[in-house]
Amino acid sequence: METIQSQVDELISQMTPAEKAGQLTQYFYFRLPPGAEPGLDFDAEQQPRMVESAVGEGGAGSLLFVTDPAEINRLQRLALEGNRLGIPLLFGFDVIHGLRTILPVPIAMAASWDPQTIERGQSVAAREARAVGIHWTFAPMVDIARDPRWGRIVEGAGEDPYLGAAVAVAQVRGFQGGELGSPESVIAGPKHFAGYGGALGGRDYDEVNLSDSELWNVYFPPFKAAVDAGAGNVMTAYMGLNGIPAGGNRWLFTEVLRELWGFKGFVVSDANVVRSLVTHGFAADLTDAAARAVNAGVDMEMAVSDAAYAHLPEALESGAASPEAVDASVRRVLEAKIRMGLFDAPYVDEDRAREVLADPAHRDVARIAAERSAVLLRNEDDLLPLDASSVSSIAVIGPLADSKRDTIGPWVFDFDLDETVTVLEGIRAKAGDGVRVDHARGIRVVQREFPSMFDMFGRNRPSDPDGFDEEAEFQQAVDLARGSDVAVVVVGEWQNMIGEAASRSSLELPGRQLELLQAVVETGTPVVLLVMNGRPLDLRWAAAHVPAILDIWYPGTHGGAAVANLLFGEVAPGGKLPFSWPRTVGQVPMVYAHARSHEPENQGRRYWDEASTPLFPFGYGLSYGRFEYANLSVDQPATTSGGTVTVSVEVTNAGDREADEVVQLYLGQRYGSALRPVRELKGFQRISLSPGESRTLEFRVGPNERRYWNAAVRDWVSDPSTFDVWVGGDSTAELATSFEVTQE
Ligand code: GLC
């Protein structure tokens, strides 16, 4: 029986250097709408032609940005008939939070603190992707983000390595299914290795300088978890990490990823990252760039055009590129194609693709994910849930309330806006005929100062209706609110303001949204504020003046239906914040897991002009229920450095309705061989409790939860010490106990 190994050996033994270079080259394949202005610097006419000829002569091993099954089959045929050895193409794509059925954005799914929901959502995304012929997704994005000016915070799981690792594992499992290559699953490609979220000033693509302690204790853990979960691919970051560009960083991709972590999959560069080694001032020219990237362990180059890896034959000839490195890269790419069954079944069933994309069950999964991602930030006097029987008129206000495109958020391309349910549509459908639900935009949309790279795909920029008269509209919105029983105001960022190349220098609500909100509150009509966002925004005024605030994120295809179910109490919000929510951008970076420093009692007053505490803490989220915690205990007062204690706690739903709570466990080491954070998340469980129901939960706290990478000894250590344990509903939990760890 031919093994994968022998099949690969056979192929490699026949391949020329040019054919090997081809297998290691992945091209974007852009068929832009007529007249579209490319967001990147390439010739929109010439580029697809160049790619097709490369495909037809074995000059490309993979393509991205093709999602139409017929087109995928056409290009696959071109490849199979074109290259001498009949090696099929691998199709990759950014299926970040859904392909046709759009899930809530990843930061929203992280806010669910519900690995099962996340896994289920990404398994739907994988099913749709594979059905159209995509074999590999450039996800999960697992970059820790501690600076919300950085727009890509929306794509990840926030500031915390423990939550980030749990979310990464759930996504890899969702995408890849039980094992790599199973039908209806795709290769998961955690990205961007590594440290991308630490961009200087929150400016996307800019340099990153992180200490080893930050790398090993904060930024690496989600990647390690994704690799341990069996991810088949890893994507490089763009930027220099401590002066070494990711694309040429042998320490990252060979020493850490492969030799230390045992990663067996293949590495792809981010877009043009190999050629960027020249731009960055690291490589002398494209041949040098190609040699240094492949020698570093970057198997495949993602390029728009003029690929550096096309110069690999030259680099091999000169001895600059290691033949062993090149063959090892080709091996890993061919193994992925064999594992995905592409040699046996390279084509996709176009009829079945249509069926799978139209599966209504997928929309339900997306709606439930949106319901479980929402975070209730304020609910004074229990204004929520609304009682449809006592409300006869609802004013829905703001342009985002009825924007299909913004409801599904950034990083989506193959969506169906006709399927998308906006907040306004969701409220109208839920409130029923007896309730008047009117909408007023109130203000103009806000255009980005700089064009977005995604404008070239169309439908990316917001717009105002023709003849929009802002003063009249503003007054109309206020009058509508005044004449209604309740006003639902939707504020946030337009989806093209966040994501890649979308950093901001401010966290303020863009445009005249705050002014509109203040004018609506001024009418005296009770206001429910819905926040459509992917990063924390400056809500200081709202947090002091608006009774109910619900963060709905970009909730996806059926997001409006989910929001309506939450507003009317069909379901109770149970989400928790995956980041610390700063009061103002001047506090950034702000994290809960900070070290104990001088005068800790003044930790909250480090600035003279603003508190230095967050507006809302990491892990925070209210519910329609009320939860009480009691009987926190450890099963033993002390253990040795290799031992494990079991922490138990009783949680009670003291409210009058079924509700979810995310029970969080934080650990703090009082002393040891390095300064440790005042507390760190080391366990969580999302539970549903009926009114009056109590449940005792257990958490195991062992060496893995206690160890950390120590900058003095430059290795992992587990100190003997006294450990504090806090358990509660957010990172300010006060219910505490402790235990000792003695030297073994
Ligand atoms: C982009 C992003 C990366 C994405 C890739 C392909 O520039 O950095 O996350 O997967 O290119 O679209």
Side-chain angles (χ1 to χ4, degrees):
M1 142 78 166
E2 196 180 34
T3 64
I4 292 178
Q5 205 61 44
S6 58
Q7 213 177 331
V8 169
D9 291 344
E10 174 59 22
L11 282 168
I12 288 185
S13 67
Q14 301 173 61
M15 291 170 80
T16 65
E19 286 168 331
K20 291 177 182 176
Q23 274 308 305
L24 303 184
T25 302
Q26 176 189 55
Y27 280 118
F28 283 83
Y29 186 75
F30 286 129
R31 300 303 292 266
L32 296 182
E37 268 305 304
L40 307 164
D41 57 346
F42 70 93
D43 176 336
E45 293 302 314
Q46 200 278 332
Q47 199 266 354
R49 280 203 297 273
M50 175 279 290
V51 173
E52 292 203 13
S53 66
V55 164
E57 54 200 31
S62 175
L63 298 180
L64 71 147
F65 265 89
V66 196
T67 57
D68 172 67
E71 187 65 347
I72 284 180
N73 281 336
R74 181 183 72 82
L75 292 161
Q76 188 66 280
R77 191 162 291 109
L78 196 61
L80 288 173
E81 289 163 3
N83 74 79
R84 189 169 59 88
L85 299 167
I87 301 173
L89 286 171
L90 189 69
F91 286 89
F93 192 52
D94 293 287
V95 187
I96 309 298
H97 54 112
L99 180 75
R100 177 64 51 81
T101 304
I102 306 302
L103 301 162
V105 286
I107 194 75
M109 289 198 276
S112 74
W113 292 55
D114 183 358
Q116 205 180 18
T117 292
I118 296 167
E119 180 175 342
R120 190 177 307 119
Q122 296 299 29
S123 69
V124 162
R127 184 164 185 260
E128 293 189 356
R130 195 67 188 277
V132 303
I134 294 166
H135 310 117
W136 160 31
T137 179
F138 310 131
M141 188 275 219
V142 299
D143 298 305
I144 291 288
R146 301 187 144 190
D147 185 334
R149 294 173 293 181
W150 188 56
R152 303 198 75 167
I153 185 172
V154 66
E155 299 173 44
E159 80 180 58
D160 183 79
Y162 188 91
L163 177 63
V167 171
V169 169
Q171 292 205 56
V172 168
R173 288 202 180 118
F175 285 128
Q176 295 194 166
E179 45 149 325
L180 194 59
S182 46
E184 302 207 326
S185 66
V186 294
I187 298 171
K191 65 187 183 184
H192 308 77
F193 201 48
Y196 186 17
L200 192 64
R203 292 182 293 274
D204 198 14
Y205 304 142
D206 277 6
E207 68 188 275
V208 171
N209 296 294
L210 291 171
S211 68
D212 279 338
S213 176
E214 284 170 305
L215 276 174
W216 290 105
N217 291 314
V218 178
Y219 287 82
F220 279 174
F223 284 98
K224 175 70 166 56
V227 166
D228 290 349
N233 165 259
V234 167
M235 180 184 290
T236 76
Y238 272 120
M239 77 299 134
L241 171 63
N242 299 329
I244 312 295
N249 197 320
R250 181 177 167 74
W251 175 71
L252 272 182
F253 291 97
T254 296
E255 292 174 41
V256 175
L257 188 61
R258 291 209 170 91
E259 291 170 359
L260 196 59
W261 291 355
F263 176 62
K264 295 282 180 283
F266 68 102
V267 170
V268 68
S269 78
D270 200 340
N272 290 335
V273 154
V274 180
R275 57 181 302 113
S276 294
L277 296 180
V278 179
T279 314
H280 283 202
F282 185 75
D285 54 33
L286 288 183
T287 306
D288 182 33
R292 294 167 79 179
V294 79
N295 292 344
V298 178
D299 299 315
M300 184 186 281
E301 174 192 20
M302 178 191 289
V304 176
S305 57
D306 193 11
Y309 275 13
H311 298 266
L312 272 178
E314 206 181 311
L316 283 165
E317 186 66 33
S318 70
S322 137
E324 294 72 24
V326 169
D327 283 359
S329 293
V330 174
R331 176 177 303 281
R332 290 188 279 260
V333 170
L334 291 177
E335 278 173 4
K337 295 183 175 183
I338 294 169
R339 283 211 168 80
M340 292 305 286
L342 301 193
F343 283 83
D344 305 327
Y347 299 108
V348 70
D349 177 338
E350 295 166 35
D351 294 333
R352 187 171 173 283
R354 275 183 285 279
E355 253 173 62
V356 170
L357 292 183
D359 187 341
H362 293 178
R363 312 317 181 240
D364 292 339
V365 168
R367 174 181 51 74
I368 292 166
E371 288 168 354
R372 297 179 72 77
S373 300
V375 180
L376 183 60
L377 298 173
R378 206 168 188 244
N379 193 23
E380 297 299 297
D381 304 330
D382 292 341
L383 175 59
L384 290 177
L386 299 176
D387 174 0
S389 64
S390 65
V391 166
S392 60
S393 54
I394 300 174
V396 179
I397 292 170
L400 291 170
D402 199 31
S403 164
K404 289 181 179 289
R405 181 66 194 82
D406 292 292
T407 301
I408 55 179
W411 274 112
V412 291
F413 304 92
D414 199 24
F415 48 84
D416 174 354
L417 288 185
D418 295 337
E419 277 268 300
T420 304
V421 179
T422 64
V423 168
L424 174 63
E425 290 166 335
I427 291 173
R428 278 206 167 116
K430 189 78 191 171
D433 299 341
V435 181
R436 173 174 60 77
V437 179
D438 287 323
H439 177 230
R441 295 169 73 96
I443 53 168
R444 287 191 175 289
V445 298
V446 175
Q447 292 299 352
R448 268 174 58 143
E449 290 301 307
F450 312 114
S452 154
M453 68 164 65
F454 299 105
D455 290 346
M456 65 184 180
F457 299 107
R459 301 186 294 179
N460 189 50
R461 296 169 71 88
S463 59
D464 296 311
D466 294 342
F468 187 82
D469 172 346
E470 188 166 59
E471 287 323 307
E473 291 278 346
F474 194 100
Q475 192 52 52
Q476 185 188 333
V478 173
D479 295 344
L480 178 64
R482 185 174 290 113
S484 299
D485 292 337
V486 68
V488 175
V489 182
V490 184
V491 298
E493 288 179 319
W494 280 262
Q495 63 80 27
N496 69 339
M497 291 181 168
I498 191 162
E500 183 170 357
S503 300
R504 282 184 70 198
S505 65
S506 151
L507 297 177
E508 287 169 12
L509 291 174
R512 297 179 64 189
Q513 296 186 95
L514 179 57
E515 190 186 337
L516 177 63
L517 174 63
Q518 289 168 332
V520 168
V521 168
E522 185 65 30
T523 66
T525 296
V527 174
V528 175
L529 182 65
L530 301 181
V531 188
M532 190 178 279
N533 63 320
R535 58 160 65 99
L537 298 169
D538 185 338
L539 291 186
R540 281 177 290 182
W541 187 88
H545 297 90
V546 180
I549 304 175
L550 181 67
D551 195 327
I552 61 169
W553 313 102
Y554 300 100
T557 298
H558 279 198
V563 170
N565 285 343
L566 289 157
L567 290 178
F568 289 99
E570 189 82 23
V571 288
K576 301 282 185 176
L577 292 179
F579 45 61
S580 306
W581 191 300
R583 297 167 187 275
T584 169
V585 72
Q587 293 178 312
V588 168
M590 159 162 285
V591 292
Y592 82 92
H594 54 77
R596 187 176 296 105
S597 52
H598 183 61
E599 291 188 4
E601 66 281 5
N602 294 327
Q603 184 66 43
R605 297 197 307 275
R606 294 294 196 231
Y607 306 111
W608 63 262
D609 59 344
E610 178 56 90
S612 47
T613 53
L615 185 64
F616 304 110
F618 173 82
Y620 175 82
L622 300 174
S623 168
Y624 294 158
R626 191 165 43 81
F627 292 93
E628 288 169 357
Y629 288 76
N631 303 326
L632 175 63
S633 65
V634 284
D635 64 342
Q636 48 190 314
T639 184
T640 58
S641 53
T644 295
V645 299
T646 298
V647 177
S648 58
V649 68
E650 185 184 55
V651 187
T652 300
N653 175 352
D656 57 5
R657 55 157 297 143
E658 163 108 18
D660 280 20
E661 170 71 328
V662 179
V663 180
Q664 300 158 48
L665 179 141
Y666 293 87
L667 193 66
Q669 175 177 321
R670 287 192 193 169
Y671 59 85
S673 56
L675 289 186
R676 302 296 298 128
V678 289
R679 60 174 74 185
E680 289 178 290
L681 179 71
K682 291 295 180 184
F684 65 88
Q685 296 179 41
R686 179 166 177 156
I687 58 173
S688 296
L689 292 179
S690 309
E693 181 185 359
S694 291
R695 191 175 305 168
T696 296
L697 302 180
E698 289 192 346
F699 297 88
R700 294 171 60 75
V701 179
N704 275 348
E705 285 71 36
R706 298 193 300 266
R707 76 180 201 144
Y708 67 95
W709 194 90
N710 179 303
V713 299
R714 303 185 58 70
D715 200 352
W716 294 92
V717 304
S718 186
D719 294 326
S721 184
T722 302
F723 285 84
D724 291 303
V725 178
W726 296 271
V727 177
D730 66 51
S731 58
T732 65
E734 292 176 353
L735 185 60
T737 184
S738 65
F739 64 92
E740 295 298 321
V741 173
T742 57
Q743 194 57 46
E744 198 130 29

